[in-house]
Amino acid sequence: MSDSTPSPNPAQTFSMEDFENALKKYDYEFIKGQKVKGTVVQITSDGAYVDIGGKSPGFVPTNEAALGFVNNLENILPTGEIKEFLIIREQDSEGQVTLSLRQLALDEAWADIKEMAETGKSTQIRITGANKGGVTGEVAGLRAFIPRSHLQQRDNLDSLVGQLLTATFLEVNQENRKLVLSQRDAMRAVAMNNIVQGALMPGKIVNIKPYGVFVDLQGATGLLHIKEISGARIESLDRIFEVGQEIKVVIKQIDEYQNRMSLSIKALEEYPGENLEKIEQVMANAEERWEKARNPESQPPESKAESKPEPEA
């Protein structure tokens, strides 16, 4: 029988240093931008401590607990509740990381707003301030701005503070934290939904250009092109129309993708040039004229439009 000394048991030679090195292999490595789940273990006057499985509990400052003002932190982070947090500052010398619920809520809010903007949906904005350039407010906890040019009411902007306005998105830029809205476009979208191609509608002239007239139709603006005004040649639109003048127009075409409308009144003429000579008379019975133009076959012979008499030789 051999009397040689038996080999030592590996467990008996495992030093404390080896044990600590082994633990490090299983230690969590927390990095900025990482999402972690944790349990709220303590509420203090400055914030909340959260057990996330590290050497030290993570810390949530009060101003990182929610998007808005935090009046009672314990209502947002009750002790014992498990939540997901975002690491916004990596471990300090004691192994503690700084956590945030606010940043997660911001990311979710931006994602929701981007989806709304891409699908053309409108939103509600509570106006909180005004300046010479427009008004400011909040949408889903994010600061937003409506330029004066995109407001329905452009004077006395201070009177809008506290009001809830419907608006659509003009610019959504999370990187620059820029959120610009338009009340005017939202109202235009609503108006466009109530406009039907082929209908005769009342409107008001808001602008005159060499190529045509822009007409406001209850919030939506369409172009009455010079070629759609009369069958006769037009020298100057300023001689026929003026800004603020009320007229009736036919909705010739609606381009939903470009958000544009083409208008016409040429079909209301009983002879080429009538709109140039007596536009007021044409507008006075525009409904009857449009009905005849749409259904000429259904009109009795005596009611059909007569041609303009030829001048005597």
Side-chain angles (χ1 to χ4, degrees), residues 125-130 134-138 144 146 151 157-165:
I125 174 173
R126 177 75 65 182
I127 304 303
T128 57
V135 295
T136 56
E138 286 191 357
I146 302 180
L151 287 166
L157 300 188
D158 288 330
S159 66
L160 295 176
V161 175
Q163 291 191 29
L164 194 64
L165 305 182

Side-chain angles (χ1 to χ4, degrees), residues 246-271:
E246 295 184 354
I247 63 172
K248 296 172 185 175
V249 294
V250 176
I251 311 301
K252 183 180 180 183
Q253 186 177 23
I254 299 176
D255 188 338
E256 296 180 358
Y257 296 101
Q258 298 291 330
N259 201 23
R260 295 174 181 172
M261 283 188 299
S262 299
L263 312 176
S264 179
I265 60 172
K266 185 163 64 173
L268 304 180
E269 288 187 322
E270 294 183 347
Y271 60 85

